[in-house]
Amino acid sequence: MKSKKNYYALAFICEDQPGIVMKVSRILLDNNFNIEDSSSTLLEGIFSMILIVSLEETMSSLQIKKAFAPLVESLKLSLSVRKLNSVKHEKADSSNQRYIISVYGSDKPGIVYNITKVLAYKNINIVDLQTKVIGDETNPVYMMILEILLPVSIDSNWEKDLYDISKQLNININIKHVDSYEM
Amino acid sequence: MAVKDIVKYPDPRLKVTSDSVYQIDKYILQTIKDLSDTLDAYPHTVGIAAPQIGITLRIIIIDASKKRNCRDNHGKLVLINPEIYSYDGLLQFREGCLSIPDFTANINRAKEVSVCYYDTAFKRQFVKASDFEAVLLQHEIDHLNGVLFLDRVISKRTDLFRRKKYI
C-alpha cells in the first residue's frame, strides 16, 4: 500500500447521457479525490464506470455516498462504494506470459462459463474480459475477448483443453501470445 | 562503456523534433556508442532513440534480433537521419517504451516500411523492414519527431466492437 492514502472502489451505473463523467469527476475534485485507475464504457445503453480513487484524508463510505446523493437523485444513477485495504499496481512484468483469447460462435448458453472454467482450473488469471452479441437477430453471434496472464508454472495442456471445450461447444477460439517489448 | 540514464516522460526532450545530423564527428560517434551501450544494458529492449538519453539528434539504434522468434530482421542497425519513404499494410502490436515505464498499449502500425538513412560512415543506405522490425522502426522514428506511442493508443473496446446505435 502506497503511503497512508485511503483507497476506495466506486462503481456508477446510469442510463447513458452526455455529462455523466463531468458531473462525477466534479464531485471527486471538490472532495480532493484522485482517480488512480478507472474503466468506463457503454453497455447496451447503460454507462458503467468503475473508479479506484484515493484520498489523503479519511471519508467513510456513507460520507462518500452523501457527497454523491444529489447526483444519484438527478441522474438516477446507482452507486456502490467500497473502502479498500490495499491496492496493487499492475506492473509490466515479463515473468508472466500474456495471451489474448478470442472466442466466437452462435449464441448459446454456457460459453463464458465453460471457457472460464478451464482457465480457473488451470489457475490462469483473467485481467480483461469483454463480451458482445454481434450478428443479426436471426443469427446472433456471441463474441468474447479475454486477456489472460499465465501463472509462472503452468501445464502445457491448457491450450489443448481450451480447443477441446470449444470443439464440444461448436465455437471458434483463437489464442494469441502477446509479446511486448520496450522500444 | 557508458550506459546513460533513460529520459522519462514528462521530460520535455521527448516531445520536441530532433535535429538532423550533418557530419560524423567525435561527439556523434560518442552518442552512438552511448546509445548502443544503453540499448545493450536492457535485455528486453529492442530499440532506442537519441532523445531517450537526452540528446535531441536524429539517431536511432534498433535490434530486432533481441526478440524471440523474430525471423526477418537486419540485426543491430544504427540509423542516422532516418526517413520513412513508403508504408504498406497494417499491423497491431503491443508496444512498450523505456521512457514510459510500466505501460503497454496496442498500436496500429504499417506492416512494411522502407527507410532511407545514413550509416555511421555517413553513407546513404536503404532498408526495407516488415512486421516486428517495421513496428520498431516506426516507434523509434516517432521519437525523433516528439511523438510517443501514447499519441497513437487505440482503445481496446472501441477497437474490437463497432458500437451499436441506440435511439
Side-chain angles (χ1 to χ4, degrees), chain B residues 50-80:
Chain B
Q52 291 183 282
I53 60 165
I55 295 170
T56 52
L57 285 173
R58 305 188 77 82
I59 307 171
I60 63 170
I61 304 183
I62 60 161
D63 188 357
S65 70
K66 282 170 90 175
K67 178 187 186 288
R68 273 170 302 179
N69 316 319
C70 184
R71 269 159 289 163
D72 299 320
N73 69 77
H74 296 83
K76 195 171 178 181
L77 219 53
V78 178
L79 298 94
I80 300 167

Side-chain angles (χ1 to χ4, degrees), chain B residues 105-157:
Chain B
N106 291 333
I107 312 291
N108 279 344
R109 299 282 190 185
K111 192 174 157 52
E112 272 184 15
V113 289
S114 299
V115 177
C116 59
Y117 65 98
Y118 290 89
D119 64 15
T120 51
F122 219 53
K123 231 180 112 197
R124 204 165 160 79
Q125 303 285 355
F126 297 89
V127 64
K128 188 172 183 173
S130 58
D131 300 300
F132 179 70
E133 196 175 44
V135 169
L136 179 52
L137 277 166
Q138 292 167 81
H139 180 109
E140 300 308 340
I141 292 170
D142 267 356
H143 274 301
L144 306 182
N145 297 320
V147 176
L148 298 172
F149 78 107
L150 301 182
D151 295 308
R152 302 194 186 275
V153 172
I154 291 162
S155 134
K156 272 190 237 169
R157 190 172 176 87

Side-chain angles (χ1 to χ4, degrees), chain B residues 11-23:
Chain B
D11 190 303
R13 286 171 290 183
L14 294 170
K15 293 301 294 174
V16 298
T17 302
S18 289
D19 296 320
S20 294
V21 173
Y22 295 103
Q23 59 177 28

